[in-house]
Amino acid sequence: MKTSIVFLLCISVFPGFSQGRVVREDETGFAECNVFFSGQVPPEGFTEPFHVKICQQYNKEPRFATLYSTKDKIPLYSAFKFTKPAQSEEENWLVEPQIDDPENDLHEMVREADIGGTVANLGLNQALTSDYVGSGYERGLLNPSFLNEEDFQVATYTLTNAVPLRPALSKSWHRDIGKVVEQALIPHCSKMDHLYLLAGAIPSSVQVKGKVSVPESLWLAACCDAPEGWSLGLVKKISDENSLADLTVRELEKQLLPGVHLFKGNCGKDKQSQKKREAVLQAVSQIRSGEQVGTSNNPETKEGSWVRKVAGIIATPFIKLLELLIYIFVELVKFVFYFLWLVVKRVVGTILDGVYSLWKGLVSYLKAVSMVLISIPYDVGRVIVNIFLGFLQIVRDVLSLTYSILSIPVAFVLHLAAFPYHTICAIPSVLKDMATGIRGTFSLFVGATATVLREFCYLAGHIVKRFVPKGSSDD
């Protein structure tokens, strides 16, 4: 069974000023914020798991209810009641920490600028201000702040109540909603606190920065759950900021998700006053055509109204033609200015490029000259050092040559003087060596002679033993 997570959100200018809690599973709907729905029953049919129910609170009081899509990062609808409008408050945009980080200790909405790094995965399931910066879209409120009194206004400036809208479309939507509520719906509901309003958006496949879905249309459903009550639906297409189509709530529900029912019992359809509904539709038609909404039943006034309508029908083509001509003229002027801007940009760019190239060349020339001037003293010093080192080398070579020349006679004289000494001292050594040689020669001769004689005796004995008989030898 698919379920939706429900958060009670506390919106406060001062931290800790309000408290919030996660609604238990046994609680139904939007808890304390069920008071913003007819019969205290929220719309049925929004059952996707990424649909998050949010009870927007301030000063511990519920201010309005929001069904938020974490897939599209925009609210699908905000439910609220008309309160006495107050002067517009300063925008202080808030985010809901628990949508991105359910385990976070922050159980209330906080200013996005003050949240720092205390929330894990911030922006994973909800849009942030950074998603709108530089995109051409602004944060358009489904529950407009100007339809609320002071405390309620603070609560509306939350990113869970905002959808991406072009500035012109956002202005048109808020203007039309303000006029319809104040001039058409409130005057025709006998009990103002029984007027229940649902402002919603239908997501498209177009996304801002690949994250936040741009609505394909905006819608408003109203239910006057009172005697002589009525219900009404309005739709504004994103593609046409001037469009504002009225239709029944049933027809509006068919444009939303299958099985959606916005009001319990179709806002008491059986007890609705057709006359009141027609009066509301007439007022809406007057707002759409730009006429002043009035309630007079004077025939002359009606006749004047018909005359104005006929005149408006006749004048409309001419007005549209004039608007077209003005548009063409404005576009031509914009084109001329754009063309002139391109020409000026190209000329100025060329001049700046030339000046830059000239400056770059001048800087390079001055740099080269500076390097040459800086290198002159260094080169001069290096030449002087080399000359000095060369002079020292010449002196060294001269001294070495002189020493070599002077050292030749001295060595010769020394060797010549030492010759008799070395000669005389060598005679005993020579005589000794000669005696040693003669003695060795004589010993060698004696040894050799003895060896020859011994070998000769051995040979003669051997021959005698071989050839002389033993008997004879005994004789």
Side-chain angles (χ1 to χ4, degrees), residues 90-291:
E90 180 183 357
E91 295 184 10
N92 288 308
W93 289 94
L94 305 138
V95 294
E96 167 47 43
Q98 288 195 343
I99 291 182
D100 292 324
D101 186 7
E103 304 299 326
N104 196 282
D105 294 334
L106 297 173
H107 296 294
E108 61 181 24
M109 279 193 168
V110 294
R111 286 194 184 101
E112 183 182 3
D114 299 337
I115 202 167
T118 58
V119 177
N121 304 316
L122 183 63
L124 178 64
N125 294 318
Q126 64 181 313
L128 303 175
T129 300
S130 58
D131 297 321
Y132 289 85
V133 175
S135 66
Y137 291 89
E138 65 179 33
R139 297 159 291 190
L141 300 178
L142 288 186
N143 177 12
S145 61
F146 58 82
L147 291 180
N148 296 269
E149 60 187 10
E150 185 175 353
D151 283 355
F152 286 78
Q153 280 190 0
V154 178
T156 61
Y157 287 109
T158 166
L159 287 161
T160 55
N161 182 44
V163 296
L165 296 178
R166 296 291 185 184
L169 179 65
S170 178
K171 182 178 179 181
S172 170
W173 167 250
H174 291 151
R175 181 192 65 230
D176 292 345
I177 288 294
K179 287 183 177 180
V180 166
V181 172
E182 294 180 344
Q183 300 179 23
L185 306 185
I186 295 296
H188 296 92
C189 189
S190 58
K191 294 183 178 181
M192 189 179 72
D193 61 337
H194 283 214
L195 177 60
Y196 299 94
L197 301 172
L198 291 172
I202 301 176
S204 70
S205 58
V206 180
Q207 291 185 325
V208 178
K209 297 184 178 181
K211 178 180 177 181
V212 186
S213 296
V214 177
E216 68 177 36
S217 59
L218 302 170
W219 56 269
L220 177 72
C223 168
C224 178
D225 191 7
E228 295 187 339
W230 44 265
S231 62
L232 177 70
L234 297 172
V235 174
K236 177 184 282 289
K237 292 292 184 182
I238 298 297
S239 56
D240 184 6
E241 64 184 54
N242 295 318
S243 67
L244 188 65
D246 58 80
L247 63 170
T248 65
V249 172
R250 194 68 175 170
E251 292 170 337
L252 174 59
E253 290 172 345
K254 292 179 180 179
Q255 297 187 19
L256 306 179
L257 298 174
V260 167
H261 296 288
L262 297 178
F263 299 111
K264 179 186 178 181
N266 292 325
C267 190
K269 183 178 180 181
D270 298 337
K271 300 179 181 179
Q272 288 187 9
S273 170
Q274 186 64 25
K275 182 179 179 180
K276 281 285 187 179
R277 188 175 187 281
E278 290 177 356
V280 173
L281 289 175
Q282 183 180 0
V284 171
S285 177
Q286 290 175 333
I287 293 171
R288 188 166 45 230
S289 61
E291 299 179 13

Side-chain angles (χ1 to χ4, degrees), residues 404-420:
S404 299
I405 293 172
L406 293 177
S407 64
I408 292 174
V410 174
F412 178 75
V413 172
L414 292 176
H415 287 300
L416 184 62
F419 177 75

Side-chain angles (χ1 to χ4, degrees), residues 423-442:
T423 302
I424 294 171
C425 290
I427 291 173
S429 179
V430 170
L431 293 176
K432 182 180 179 181
D433 291 338
M434 289 176 62
T436 301
I438 292 171
R439 185 178 59 203
T441 302
F442 179 75

